[in-house]
Amino acid sequence: MQEAPRPLDIDELLRQLAALTKTPALDQQAAERVGAALDAAAQSVRRATTGTASSAATPARQQAVDALSELGVPANPALIAEFCRAYFGSELAPRALASIRRDELRAYRAKSSTRSMWVVPALTTQLMPARGYLALSSWPAWLRIHGTRSARVDVLRVLLVLLDRLAGLRAASTEVLRSSREQQRARISDLIVKLGIGVPGLDHRIDPATAREAIQDELDQLAPKDRAERDAAAAVLSTLDEEQRLFGRTDQ
């Protein structure tokens, strides 16, 4: 009897396409075609999976994983939703993520899931769940910890991610793709300005060189102390059991 085909892993497909665009051997035209296919695939999948209440939880989780993977730092639902809109052109209501931590913990405890990665709460330096912040279980322990300086440090790192994406939006060869790229450029620019209040070079007109220098200068001041605080908490975290390492302490 022939084995039934395995369901298509959309996240893996999109990751492979994204990785392909970074292959040095690809010429610019081929990279642009793959990039366009990636954008179209992501938008098609989200349109197809957000139409009914029964499927709403799954796409919300997928979008959270996508966003956190790109952000590379813990984020609250509001930022995840804003990033999804700016980066992917998808609409995600922050309230759709309200129960995700509880749902992930329930699935983890059921021991019936084959997931290799969980959406987990970021943790305070006391190793309790940080209110409102989400992270990925695949990240190193120190990165999942939210210290006293982490909110600012992480925003600065997100700004660098967004500036990199903005710089990577090449001119497109077709009218449809040009329109799509310009819309994405506008959305990302708006989010950069919103998050970059007080950063030189990030006002109504973005100056990437000035902004990068200012961001790096501030990171040079804050990041070492932030990392030391996170590392100290991560050392304690490593002594806890697996569930507490992922989802934090529940004792007061």
Side-chain angles (χ1 to χ4, degrees):
M1 183 175 178
Q2 187 175 3
E3 184 179 352
R6 298 178 65 181
L8 179 64
D9 187 334
I10 296 299
D11 286 340
E12 181 60 27
L13 173 62
L14 296 180
R15 278 193 292 270
Q16 289 180 14
L17 279 169
L20 187 57
T21 64
K22 301 174 184 176
T23 303
L26 276 178
D27 59 36
Q28 183 171 345
Q29 186 176 9
E32 184 174 299
R33 289 199 304 271
V34 174
L38 175 61
D39 291 345
Q43 292 176 23
S44 296
V45 168
R46 291 188 178 94
R47 281 196 300 268
T49 56
T50 55
T52 65
S54 61
S55 64
T58 300
R61 181 187 187 276
Q62 289 174 348
Q63 289 185 67
V65 170
D66 288 345
L68 289 167
S69 296
E70 294 289 345
L71 285 164
V73 295
N76 59 37
L79 177 56
I80 290 172
E82 290 179 317
F83 187 84
C84 282
R85 182 177 183 278
Y87 212 79
F88 303 120
S90 61
E91 297 296 336
L92 174 66
R95 64 178 178 274
L97 301 176
S99 65
I100 192 168
R101 286 166 33 166
R102 184 170 62 251
D103 295 342
E104 293 286 283
L105 178 57
R106 186 184 301 115
Y108 172 84
R109 286 176 171 171
K111 304 297 183 184
S112 58
S113 175
T114 58
R115 292 175 187 169
S116 59
M117 180 169 61
W118 303 91
V119 179
V120 296
L123 305 178
T124 67
T125 52
Q126 291 74 43
L127 308 182
M128 307 291 287
R131 184 175 178 83
Y133 281 87
L134 300 175
L136 296 178
S137 64
S138 57
W139 291 348
W142 71 266
L143 184 55
R144 294 188 286 109
I145 291 170
H146 214 246
T148 55
R149 301 172 183 84
S150 299
R152 182 59 177 171
V153 167
D154 290 350
V155 164
L156 294 172
R157 288 174 174 155
V158 168
L159 285 170
L160 291 177
V161 169
L162 292 169
L163 286 169
D164 285 344
R165 178 60 173 172
L166 199 62
L169 289 175
R170 294 188 290 267
S173 58
T174 67
E175 185 175 346
V176 172
L177 191 52
R178 277 197 297 272
S179 176
S180 175
R181 291 283 171 83
E182 285 307 311
Q183 290 174 17
Q184 186 181 36
R185 190 185 305 276
R187 294 193 304 264
I188 292 175
S189 296
D190 287 346
L191 184 54
I192 288 173
V193 171
K194 180 176 181 178
L195 294 177
I197 295 174
V199 177
L202 297 183
D203 46 27
H204 64 281
R205 185 174 182 178
I206 296 172
D207 181 346
T210 299
R212 286 179 185 278
E213 183 177 357
I215 290 169
Q216 194 57 58
D217 286 347
E218 191 171 352
L219 279 174
D220 289 344
Q221 295 178 42
L222 296 178
K225 293 179 180 179
D226 174 62
R227 180 61 187 269
E229 186 178 25
R230 285 169 144 172
D231 280 342
V236 179
L237 184 65
S238 67
T239 66
L240 304 183
D241 62 48
E242 183 182 68
E243 181 177 314
Q244 290 181 315
R245 290 199 302 272
L246 291 178
F247 295 94
R249 289 172 167 166
T250 56
D251 54 304
Q252 299 294 328

